[in-house]
Amino acid sequence: MRSRLSLILAAILLITTASAAVAQHAASDSINPYRVVVRSSLHGISMLNNLDTYLSGYNYKGAGYHYSHETFRKAHTGSYNWRYQTLTDFTIGYATLHNSTQLVAMASRRWSGYHAFDISDRLQLLAGAQIELTGGALYLPSNGNNPVSVKLRSAIAASGMAIYKFNIGSRKCKARYQIDIPMAGVMFSPEFGQSYYEIFGLGHTDGIVNFSNIVNSPSWRHMLSLDIPMGKSTMRVAYIADLYQSKVNDIRTHEYSHTIAIGFTKTIYKVKRNDPIEAYSPY
């Protein structure tokens, strides 16, 4: 009797396991990879170092709060070898020099497209291009006539990534390095000593829009991140260095920030009718 019961239980277990495997296989086959999006939100502390000779000839150093949001997905192409990324960064903070304080607010939006190359089961390289829009301001209350320096610029950048998969115990982790180098673009810059009243009040706008390139604006941004599964969530720890500098209209600037950030990532499947809800990572 016991032997028959054991055989029946074993048969039920075998049928259940096989059915689950078949169902999972069928669901996986019907997944559209381009509908799967990996999103991350990071919060961090930035160390700031700013120079803007329109406001002052000295470096101001300080700290600020940084927020970064990313979406990453496969493109809807036949081979699914293309990836799309959007990045939103926002920083607010302050910097000081002796008794003088500088307030900082900067935001950027980036759209990137990459072609992926699978080097091995663990290593993937991506190469592509990026469109960047940046805006913000530096405010120096101690300045009388020109207390504000407005930042408006856009650029086309070369961008690349390396993604490496590895295990820490039973956890499947991912390390990623990304570098973005602006190649050419346009930027707003007044002449040295020119006030914003002259530009917007009197209409003296000649020369305020300038072309930027790797010679007059050698800049780059790079990020190193680590994704660690934590139960049902994935934690991301990242180091972000955004290093911008320019020399236009006799004004020298640099905006350096080094950020340590932490947050979480989630994989989202954009559901349509009859679509399965399955996680399928674009990494």
Side-chain angles (χ1 to χ4, degrees):
M1 182 68 179
R2 291 183 178 178
S3 60
R4 289 181 180 179
L5 182 60
S6 299
L7 289 174
I8 293 172
L9 291 175
I12 292 174
L13 180 61
L14 180 61
I15 293 172
T16 304
T17 304
S19 300
V22 171
Q24 183 177 7
H25 180 72
S28 299
D29 284 348
S30 62
I31 290 174
N32 295 319
Y34 72 94
R35 299 191 59 78
V36 180
V37 179
V38 175
R39 293 180 179 174
S40 70
S41 295
L42 302 178
H43 303 267
I45 300 296
S46 296
M47 303 305 296
L48 307 175
N49 184 327
N50 296 323
L51 169 70
D52 190 327
T53 58
Y54 179 79
L55 297 176
S56 170
Y58 300 99
N59 285 2
Y60 280 74
K61 298 180 180 181
Y65 163 76
H66 181 87
Y67 172 77
S68 180
H69 179 77
E70 177 194 5
T71 64
F72 191 76
R73 66 180 179 87
K74 289 190 176 183
H76 188 194
T77 62
S79 62
Y80 298 107
N81 285 330
W82 290 90
R83 308 287 188 268
Y84 288 157
Q85 179 196 54
T86 60
L87 279 171
T88 302
D89 290 288
F90 179 74
T91 302
I92 55 173
Y94 71 96
T96 60
L97 178 67
H98 304 308
N99 295 325
S100 179
T101 299
Q102 180 188 83
L103 302 180
V104 181
M106 296 295 297
S108 66
R109 178 79 166 176
R110 295 175 171 89
W111 297 267
S112 307
Y114 301 94
H115 190 279
F117 303 90
D118 293 322
I119 306 304
S120 68
D121 292 339
R122 294 181 177 269
L123 179 63
Q124 185 179 81
L125 300 181
L126 294 88
Q130 181 183 92
I131 298 174
E132 173 193 346
L133 297 177
T134 300
L138 303 180
Y139 176 55
L140 197 59
S142 59
N143 273 18
N145 294 330
N146 298 326
V148 177
S149 178
V150 175
K151 307 294 182 179
L152 291 172
R153 57 182 180 263
S154 65
I156 297 175
S159 184
M161 289 188 198
I163 300 171
Y164 184 72
K165 302 176 183 179
F166 63 99
N167 295 336
I168 299 179
S170 60
R171 303 178 191 273
K172 297 181 179 180
C173 303
K174 296 185 184 75
R176 184 180 69 173
Y177 176 75
Q178 177 176 349
I179 184 168
D180 311 316
I181 303 175
M183 306 301 292
V186 294
M187 61 180 292
F188 166 80
S189 177
E191 295 285 349
F192 184 81
Q194 183 183 23
S195 68
Y196 289 111
Y197 171 73
E198 294 177 68
I199 297 172
F200 301 107
L202 302 179
H204 298 169
T205 58
D206 291 343
I208 63 171
V209 177
N210 299 269
F211 288 100
S212 61
N213 51 62
I214 59 175
V215 176
N216 64 8
S217 182
S219 308
W220 62 95
R221 177 187 185 273
H222 58 100
M223 180 180 75
L224 179 64
S225 65
L226 176 64
D227 291 356
I228 306 173
M230 307 287 290
K232 294 183 179 181
S233 301
T234 299
M235 182 177 68
R236 174 170 292 180
V237 181
Y239 163 70
I240 306 168
D242 201 340
L243 310 172
Y244 173 82
Q245 52 193 1
S246 67
K247 186 177 180 180
V248 176
N249 287 345
D250 295 322
I251 296 174
R252 290 188 300 112
T253 68
H254 72 233
E255 301 156 20
Y256 302 153
S257 68
H258 299 271
T259 302
I260 299 296
I262 188 170
F264 290 91
T265 71
K266 61 173 61 176
T267 302
I268 299 172
Y269 189 81
K270 294 185 176 181
V271 179
K272 286 186 176 180
R273 189 171 61 181
N274 299 325
D275 276 347
I277 303 175
E278 295 285 343
Y280 185 98
S281 176
Y283 288 119

